[in-house]
Amino acid sequence: MAAAKKAVLGPLVGAVDQGTSSTRFLVFNSKTAELLSHHQVEIKQEFPREGWVEQDPKEILHSVYECIEKTCEKLGQLNIDISNIKAIGVSNQRETTVVWDKLTGEPLYNAVVWLDLRTQSTVESLSKRIPGNNNFVKSKTGLPLSTYFSAVKLRWLLDNVRKVQKAVEEDRALFGTVDSWLIWSLTGGASGGVHCTDVTNASRTMLFNIHSLEWDKELCEFFEIPMKILPNVRSSSEIYGLMKAGALEGVPISGCLGDQSAALVGQMCFHDGQAKNTYGTGCFLLCNTGRKCVFSEHGLLTTVAYKLGRDKPVYYALEGSVAIAGAVIRWLRDNLGIIKTSEEIEKLAKEVGTSYGCYFVPAFSGLYAPYWEPSARGIICGLTQFTNKCHIAFAALEAVCFQTREILDAMNRDCGIPLSHLQVDGGMTNNKILMQLQADILYIPVVKPSMPETTALGAAMAAGAAEGVGVWSLEPEDLSAVTMERFEPQINAEESEIRYSTWKKAVMKSMGWVTTQSSESGDPSIFCSLPLGFFIVSSMVMLIGARYRSGMP
């Protein structure tokens, strides 16, 4: 029997989407932007101490290889020839910090994840060295001094991990965010791997001057980071190197964007004032400010949006970052056990249609924008005897929406022109209750593309458009029209404002819970100073979890 004829689809482009919770590889048709196939693997997070969040860099790398192999197998089953894949883009969780040995290719410590809080005392000691009238760190980087960014994580590794110190002394150490680790490994690793990053990821390290687009000597001296361990900074769309192993050996890696910049590109927000919000582990609202840096007066970050080619201009964005969005659903699943799968939360929330006065502030890693308050911790308040797991599920979804509202308010004040609608993407946008709640709480329409994989799409667009690849046109007339689903506000503005103002009261109560000592050491003495309300909330939550597991109503 003759072999089945392979489908001819024209040039294809692959995208590695390496996120905090999972890794995926997706393949798109470069002419239509249609998603043809993909594979996903969940990534383990480790919490060795209170406030610490780590991942195994080798597990991350192996997950990328696994996703590529499985996706190629699926394409084969669809009679699609993988030799049509002409380029690969990389999109990644940002700020997560890896240091490895360039001679052996072995990581020298676990990846320190962006959510990690161990560096709070480092941040406090560094902040005392910044003159009050000249915050040169923020003016050069667009970022507040925070545990969030890579420089302080790298400083901690240099101060506390002897293997890292020794490798630096012996000129064996390389530093990178996840994109650098992956590109170096995929292009040969210890046998000639390319050590690079792109401008979007570099702009999240706190060592990069977003005006000159170079590593900054003054910043590196301030953080005491040796410049020799830093990757070369490239544009977001150019050929970095070729795949050296696996099913796609020889295919160029030619696109690289931090995940939020990738989503901005994938949503085709190429003009000033266009904004998108991505709902993943965290929640990230970016507004394109064009070729000028806009510095926020209201707690937002100034960041590099993209630079789509070596000779192309750089574009900037204002960003509001929420640490915990999808992570709160994972917490309800893994820590409390009130849902068995992430998808169940929509069913629970739909049962009640209200939080019944229950408010949830998931400040598990402190509060990011617009507060930048590391002392905050998660609280659930407004509980009564009537409150059940459905109300808590609804309050968790509302929390994601309220956090987005706070950022949108700050962005409107900074930009001066309120957004008329919000473009959204990310895994959580499949939850229709969440999307409707978001429209109600913002009191503007929420617009969702029918194909929500815009982060991977953005990485694929950058890779396919690179010089030397040239299979994806970024000209406005050539960009595929995307069908959209629209959610209109369904409550009156007054009710929306009342709910929002009550949420802000809850946020105020979440602050000031943790001292530096307790957050760094996991010191149990913290519990001696906690108010009674903490124990009541904890007991209620544990009781709900126990009732659920025992099958009680």
Side-chain angles (χ1 to χ4, degrees):
M1 185 175 168
K5 191 177 177 184
K6 294 283 185 183
V8 179
L9 295 166
L12 310 180
V13 180
V16 173
D17 181 6
Q18 204 300 297
T20 317
S21 304
S22 69
T23 298
R24 295 177 304 162
F25 185 69
L26 306 90
V27 174
F28 297 90
N29 182 328
S30 66
K31 300 304 178 194
T32 64
E34 178 192 0
L35 174 61
L36 300 175
S37 187
H38 75 284
H39 188 77
Q40 180 168 347
V41 173
E42 194 164 301
I43 296 290
K44 187 181 172 193
Q45 293 179 44
E46 298 175 25
F47 307 97
R49 292 169 72 173
E50 175 66 32
W52 293 27
V53 189
E54 296 179 3
Q55 290 178 326
D56 179 354
K58 291 176 81 173
E59 182 193 350
I60 290 173
L61 177 60
H62 292 152
S63 72
V64 170
Y65 278 119
E66 182 183 344
C67 287
I68 290 173
E69 298 299 318
K70 296 284 189 192
T71 303
C72 288
E73 285 174 19
K74 291 177 182 178
L75 289 170
Q77 290 161 9
L78 295 169
N79 289 328
I80 296 170
D81 191 340
I82 63 170
S83 69
N84 285 333
I85 298 175
K86 302 303 182 188
I88 295 168
V90 174
S91 164
N92 57 286
Q93 52 170 310
R94 303 170 302 167
E95 300 94 19
T96 296
T97 298
V98 188
V99 181
W100 66 94
D101 187 318
K102 68 183 177 185
L103 302 181
T104 66
E106 289 294 309
L108 296 164
Y109 191 79
N110 270 347
V112 181
V113 177
W114 57 277
L115 284 163
D116 189 280
L117 291 174
R118 77 187 68 186
T119 54
Q120 186 53 38
S121 65
T122 309
V123 168
E124 288 170 10
S125 63
L126 286 168
S127 65
K128 290 171 186 166
R129 293 168 43 203
I130 298 177
N133 60 348
N134 177 26
N135 189 340
F136 68 94
V137 175
K138 187 165 188 184
S139 64
K140 289 184 177 203
T141 67
L143 310 173
L145 195 57
S146 165
T147 60
Y148 184 14
F149 306 107
S150 310
V152 289
K153 301 178 193 301
L154 181 52
R155 183 67 257 150
W156 186 92
L157 290 168
L158 290 166
D159 288 338
N160 293 280
V161 181
R162 181 58 193 145
K163 280 173 74 174
V164 172
Q165 295 163 356
K166 195 164 185 291
V168 170
E169 290 161 11
E170 296 173 2
D171 199 22
R172 292 182 288 109
L174 295 178
F175 152 79
T177 40
V178 170
D179 58 305
S180 297
W181 163 244
L182 292 179
I183 292 172
W184 184 84
S185 301
L186 296 171
T187 57
S191 304
V194 178
H195 188 215
C196 69
T197 188
D198 90 301
V199 289
T200 68
N201 282 294
S203 76
R204 312 298 292 193
T205 60
M206 233 175 203
L207 301 170
F208 185 73
N209 188 314
I210 62 173
H211 310 286
S212 67
L213 302 183
E214 295 174 328
W215 297 122
D216 190 283
K217 190 167 184 289
E218 185 184 13
L219 290 169
C220 289
E221 286 172 354
F222 175 72
F223 289 104
E224 298 178 76
I225 303 293
M227 294 183 80
K228 65 184 180 181
I229 71 174
L230 303 179
N232 293 317
V233 182
R234 313 273 284 271
S235 78
S236 310
S237 178
E238 60 180 271
I239 295 175
Y240 312 112
L242 306 180
M243 289 283 289
K244 283 294 180 345
L248 298 180
E249 185 176 353
V251 176
I253 299 174
S254 54
C256 179
L257 290 154
D259 52 8
Q260 304 314 318
S261 288
L264 195 73
V265 171
Q267 285 266 30
M268 297 168 206
C269 295
F270 292 128
H271 300 293
D272 291 22
Q274 287 187 302
K276 67 88 208 170
N277 197 27
T278 299
Y279 300 76
T281 298
C283 209
F284 302 90
L285 206 164
L286 267 70
C287 180
N288 188 332
T289 62
R291 294 166 68 174
K292 62 184 183 295
C293 285
V294 175
F295 282 86
S296 175
E297 301 291 323
H298 302 97
L300 304 181
L301 312 178
T302 304
T303 197
V304 175
Y306 51 81
K307 185 179 191 295
L308 295 174
R310 270 180 290 201
D311 302 321
K312 297 292 173 66
V314 65
Y315 283 75
Y316 296 95
L318 271 177
E319 174 175 335
S321 313
V322 169
I324 303 295
V328 75
I329 314 304
R330 191 167 175 164
W331 182 81
L332 290 174
R333 183 193 73 185
D334 296 346
N335 292 34
L336 293 197
I338 68 172
I339 51 175
K340 288 181 180 173
T341 66
S342 299
E343 292 72 28
E344 276 181 46
I345 192 154
E346 185 172 10
K347 183 170 170 249
L348 287 186
K350 193 173 183 179
E351 277 184 38
V352 286
T354 174
S355 68
Y356 200 76
C358 171
Y359 286 83
F360 193 159
V361 183
F364 301 154
S365 297
L367 288 167
Y368 284 12
Y371 300 101
W372 299 104
E373 181 49 72
S375 73
R377 284 298 176 273
I379 64 167
I380 303 173
C381 55
L383 298 171
T384 70
Q385 285 182 307
F386 183 71
T387 309
N388 63 32
K389 66 186 180 188
C390 297
H391 299 117
I392 290 173
F394 195 96
L397 295 182
E398 272 192 320
V400 175
C401 301
F402 286 131
Q403 290 178 104
T404 299
R405 166 75 189 268
E406 290 196 289
I407 286 169
L408 194 72
D409 283 357
M411 203 162 274
N412 286 340
R413 288 196 294 272
D414 278 327
C415 293
I417 305 168
L419 285 181
S420 59
H421 67 277
L422 181 65
Q423 291 175 231
V424 299
D425 57 76
M428 291 185 81
T429 61
N430 292 323
N431 186 322
K432 291 188 184 301
I433 297 258
L434 177 71
M435 292 295 94
Q436 186 57 56
L437 271 173
Q438 190 66 89
D440 290 345
I441 287 165
L442 296 181
Y443 213 66
I444 59 173
V446 166
V447 180
K448 174 197 163 189
S450 56
M451 199 285 292
E453 306 295 351
T454 51
T455 300
L457 178 61
M461 289 165 68
E467 185 180 343
V469 178
V471 299
W472 205 308
S473 171
L474 297 183
E475 295 303 317
E477 63 272 16
D478 295 328
L479 292 171
S480 301
V482 180
T483 56
M484 300 283 189
E485 187 175 1
R486 193 175 174 95
F487 295 85
E488 300 282 350
Q490 291 183 353
I491 63 172
N492 65 53
E494 185 182 1
E495 185 186 344
S496 181
E497 288 305 314
I498 290 168
R499 282 158 65 174
Y500 181 49
S501 62
T502 311
W503 153 264
K504 294 197 56 107
K505 275 170 61 181
V507 170
M508 292 300 114
K509 293 181 189 300
S510 77
M511 294 184 189
W513 287 76
V514 176
T515 64
T516 300
Q517 181 193 2
S518 61
S519 66
E520 300 251 331
S521 66
D523 182 355
S525 65
I526 181 177
F527 293 106
C528 300
S529 62
L530 292 184
L532 178 62
F534 172 85
F535 296 103
I536 294 171
V537 169
S538 300
S539 302
M540 284 283 291
V541 167
M542 286 189 287
L543 177 62
I544 291 165
R547 288 166 67 94
Y548 174 76
R549 286 187 291 274
S550 68
M552 293 172 68

Coordinates of all heavy atoms in Angstrom, one line a residue, residues 197 478 550:
T197 N 20.7 36.8 24.6 CA 19.3 37.1 25.0 C 18.8 38.2 24.1 O 19.5 38.7 23.2 CB 19.3 37.6 26.5 OG1 17.9 37.7 26.9 CG2 20.0 39.0 26.6
D478 N -0.8 42.3 5.4 CA -0.6 40.9 5.3 C -0.9 40.1 6.6 O -0.9 38.9 6.6 CB 0.9 40.6 5.0 CG 1.3 41.1 3.6 OD1 0.4 41.1 2.7 OD2 2.5 41.5 3.4
S550 N -13.9 14.9 52.5 CA -14.7 13.8 53.2 C -16.1 13.6 52.5 O -16.8 12.7 52.9 CB -14.9 14.1 54.6 OG -15.8 15.3 54.8

